[in-house]
């Protein structure tokens, strides 16, 4: 019997029933504009502030340090461009890494076009930034360091505390893209020592199109969206009310279940990794074996074209992604796999499996079985294999 197996939780997660139920009220009955003074507005305003409080509490912040945005992409843009514009008189140098999400890399590319200089730190073969490289890259005119908490493709959890200590010693703002970690592993802005932190609701079973930026009190940042006094004058526009309510509820639920879910997913992840390595020859795990996101598995299969494998799995009801979903239209190997210096051939044969709330062991057993069969079939007709056979018979 064909199953439907969703293994792309890092791309997005389904919204939880409890979240949807809370949101419904604010899409229909409670429709007031939170900026309005009358009762319709006030009750909505109150609900927004409650959600803000929940979110702040979940990451160890104060309510007035949370700014709602349209998601992880906007939060990253706001952090990077906002600090760049606020501090351009002080300096025009920013440090980030080669494996950031495009929502960090592209704002950096944009800033390069208007006169900023960006250093893109390399990573080692497991995807780690070396704090010593960071130390060497710091200059007198460095105004911001942005290093992601965990990588969305290969699951590497970066040494954020060490990095933030270095930033602090040099009195440089530090931003982290925590979109893959908030709601999944412990995230506390003080333990991490960050000044700015991005999060996004649809990565923790909340709705799409809503996120937040944590901005530590006193951090200088210029708004990037102008037109109203909402969000403490930092982000104009009538609030995405239902989204905000949904995000608050989703994070509250995620935090309450985090410890148990983190343990369950880590076990499932390691089970999947072990089974695949045992049953399929010539597979290579990308990213580290420990200190890795509990939900992330990324394998390269020799002599396999990732896109072809993805389509075969899709026919069997299994949803995975190659590299990063955002770059799946390009044929270039993913920038993350290039940065860990994975040979191009293996990068082409890489697949990301990300598990989540509704993943059961049976789903993984089914996936492993289908993988085993499909890879054997694809390899038997792979041109690489034929070349290899011919060279043996000569
Ligand atoms: C998904 C993701 C983003 C983008 O978030 P959106 O809410 O989809 O804009 C940014 N960074 C990372 C690491 C992500 O995984």
């Amino acid at each position: 019997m064909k199953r439907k197996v969703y293994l792309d939780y890092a791309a997005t997660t389904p919204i939880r029933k409890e979240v949807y139920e809370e949101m419904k009220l604010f899409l229909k009955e409670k429709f007031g504009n939170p900026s309005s003074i009358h009762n319709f507005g006030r009750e909505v305003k109150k609900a927004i502030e409650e959600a803000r409080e929940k979110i702040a509490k979940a990451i160890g912040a104060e309510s007035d340090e949370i700014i709602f945005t349209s998601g992880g992409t906007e939060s990253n843009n706001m952090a990077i461009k906002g600090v760049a514009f606020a501090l351009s008189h002080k300096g025009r140098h920013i440090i980030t890494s080669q494996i950031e999400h495009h929502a960090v890399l592209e704002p950096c590319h944009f800033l390069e076009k208007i006169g900023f200089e960006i250093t893109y730190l390399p990573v080692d073969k497991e995807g780690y930034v070396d704090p010593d490289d960071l130390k060497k890259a710091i200059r007198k005119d460095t105004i911001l360091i942005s290093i992601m908490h965990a990588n969305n493709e290969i699951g590497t959890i970066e040494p954020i505390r060490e990095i933030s200590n270095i930033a602090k010693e040099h009195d440089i703002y530090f931003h982290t893209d925590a979109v893959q970690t908030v709601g999944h592993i412990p995230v506390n802005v003080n333990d991490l020592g960050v000044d700015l932190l991005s999060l996004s609701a649809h990565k923790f079973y909340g709705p799409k199109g809503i996120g937040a930026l944590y901005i530590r009190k006193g951090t200088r940042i210029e708004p990037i969206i102008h037109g109203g006094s909402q969000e403490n004058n930092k982000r104009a526009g009538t609030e995405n009310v239902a989204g905000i309510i949904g995000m608050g509820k989703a994070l509250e639920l995620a935090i309450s279940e985090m410890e148990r879910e983190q343990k369950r997913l880590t076990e499932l992840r390691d089970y999947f990794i072990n089974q695949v390595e045992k049953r399929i020859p010539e597979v290579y795990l990308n990213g580290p074996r420990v200190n890795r996101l509990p939900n992330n598995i990324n394998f390269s299969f020799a002599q396999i074209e990732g896109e072809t494998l993805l389509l075969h799995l899709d026919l069997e009801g299994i949803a995975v992604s190659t590299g990063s979903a955002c770059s799946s239209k390009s044929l270039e190997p993913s920038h993350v796999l290039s940065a860990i210096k994975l040979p191009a051939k293996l990068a082409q044969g890489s697949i990301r499996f990300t598990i989540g709330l509704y993943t059961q062991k049976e789903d993984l057993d089914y996936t492993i079985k289908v993988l085993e069969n499909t890879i054997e079939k694809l390899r038997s007709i792979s041109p690489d294999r034929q070349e290899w056979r011919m060279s043996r018979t000569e």
Side-chain angles (χ1 to χ4, degrees):
M1 189 197 65
K2 195 166 109 179
R3 299 172 75 99
K4 256 180 116 174
V5 180
Y6 183 76
L7 297 178
D8 205 9
Y9 283 85
T12 195
T13 59
I15 191 166
R16 294 168 70 130
K17 190 171 165 294
E18 304 93 312
V19 170
Y20 174 66
E21 291 302 328
E22 291 227 349
M23 287 175 70
K24 267 196 330 202
L25 193 62
F26 291 88
L27 288 166
K28 237 178 136 196
E29 283 102 87
K30 303 198 180 207
F31 64 88
N33 186 325
S35 296
S36 301
I37 318 263
H38 48 63
N39 189 53
F40 287 83
R42 283 202 315 272
E43 68 172 0
V44 173
K45 177 85 182 159
K46 183 160 168 281
I48 287 182
E49 293 317 312
E50 281 166 11
R52 196 188 307 277
E53 216 152 283
K54 280 184 198 168
I55 291 161
K57 196 166 148 240
I59 60 170
E62 302 288 331
S63 301
D64 59 358
E65 296 176 311
I66 301 294
I67 298 296
F68 290 116
T69 67
S70 64
T73 301
E74 187 187 322
S75 296
N76 286 341
N77 269 268
M78 182 174 177
I80 292 164
K81 294 184 209 164
V83 167
F85 295 154
L87 297 188
S88 60
H89 63 283
K90 256 186 79 180
R92 294 179 161 241
H93 179 237
I94 293 172
I95 302 172
T96 185
S97 84
Q98 292 176 357
I99 63 162
E100 298 299 310
H101 191 274
H102 287 292
V104 164
L105 293 176
E106 300 287 328
C108 286
H109 294 157
F110 164 75
L111 288 174
E112 280 179 304
K113 285 200 290 196
I114 59 167
F116 287 81
E117 280 180 76
I118 318 283
T119 300
Y120 301 91
L121 296 176
V123 294
D124 69 10
K125 63 183 198 321
E126 291 184 326
Y128 290 110
V129 169
D130 182 343
D132 283 332
D133 288 342
L134 172 64
K135 277 185 202 158
K136 286 182 210 139
I138 290 174
R139 315 192 318 207
K140 270 209 188 65
D141 60 344
T142 307
I143 52 170
L144 177 69
I145 297 166
S146 178
I147 304 289
M148 70 201 318
H149 191 189
N151 183 267
N152 48 301
E153 289 190 41
I154 59 172
T156 315
I157 300 173
E158 298 293 342
I160 295 300
R161 183 74 219 194
E162 274 180 76
I163 293 169
S164 72
N165 283 341
I166 297 167
K168 224 169 260 144
E169 275 164 35
H170 292 83
D171 208 15
I172 300 168
Y173 285 162
F174 178 45
H175 164 252
T176 193
D177 173 349
V179 171
Q180 286 292 332
T181 53
V182 171
H184 298 275
I185 63 173
V187 172
N188 178 297
V189 293
N190 297 315
D191 294 346
L192 293 176
V194 298
D195 301 302
L196 302 126
L197 180 144
S198 303
L199 55 152
S200 172
H202 76 99
K203 302 291 175 82
F204 51 76
Y205 311 95
K208 293 168 183 54
I210 183 74
L213 179 64
Y214 158 77
I215 307 174
R216 185 177 293 278
K217 248 186 221 75
T219 305
R220 298 184 50 195
I221 186 160
E222 199 63 49
I224 57 168
I225 296 181
H226 304 91
S229 59
Q230 291 91 348
E231 297 298 300
N232 219 355
N233 283 312
K234 287 199 174 75
R235 200 274 189 180
T238 301
E239 296 84 342
N240 173 357
V241 177
I244 291 170
I245 305 303
M247 180 172 179
K249 183 69 183 174
L251 190 52
E252 183 180 54
L253 290 168
I255 297 287
S256 73
E257 295 168 358
M258 190 166 70
E259 216 176 291
R260 188 161 36 100
E261 189 61 7
Q262 192 184 347
K263 183 166 173 285
R264 189 184 78 89
L265 292 181
T266 302
E267 279 167 16
L268 284 177
R269 177 197 73 190
D270 292 342
Y271 172 75
F272 187 79
I273 291 175
N274 290 336
Q275 286 295 309
V276 167
E277 288 181 333
K278 204 161 83 191
R279 288 163 57 173
I280 304 174
E282 286 188 86
V283 299
Y284 304 92
L285 182 72
N286 297 312
R289 272 174 208 276
V290 291
N291 198 36
R292 177 186 192 108
L293 282 174
N295 73 343
N296 176 291
I297 300 130
N298 187 314
F299 272 123
S300 286
F301 301 94
Q303 299 163 37
I304 294 288
E305 219 273 301
E307 210 89 324
T308 309
L309 179 55
L310 180 147
L311 294 173
H312 276 81
L313 294 177
D314 192 36
L315 288 173
E316 302 294 334
I318 302 166
V320 298
S321 87
T322 54
S324 144
C326 315
S327 60
S328 63
K329 280 192 208 82
S330 84
L331 283 173
E332 299 266 298
S334 109
H335 67 287
V336 177
L337 299 178
S338 301
I340 61 170
K341 301 199 168 61
L342 193 69
K345 277 241 144 140
L346 282 179
Q348 291 295 346
S350 106
I351 295 279
R352 181 186 72 180
F353 308 84
T354 44
I355 58 181
L357 211 50
Y358 307 105
T359 309
Q360 297 298 325
K361 185 163 170 288
E362 294 73 41
D363 298 319
L364 298 185
D365 285 330
Y366 170 73
T367 303
I368 293 160
K369 188 82 214 126
V370 172
L371 261 181
E372 210 178 1
N373 294 340
T374 311
I375 285 174
E376 196 183 297
K377 202 164 61 191
L378 289 175
R379 278 180 179 165
S380 73
I381 55 169
S382 136
D384 281 5
R385 175 66 162 262
Q386 251 127 46
E387 259 168 53
W388 178 76
R389 272 206 201 116
M390 288 208 294
S391 68
R392 296 249 306 190
T393 49
E394 267 162 15

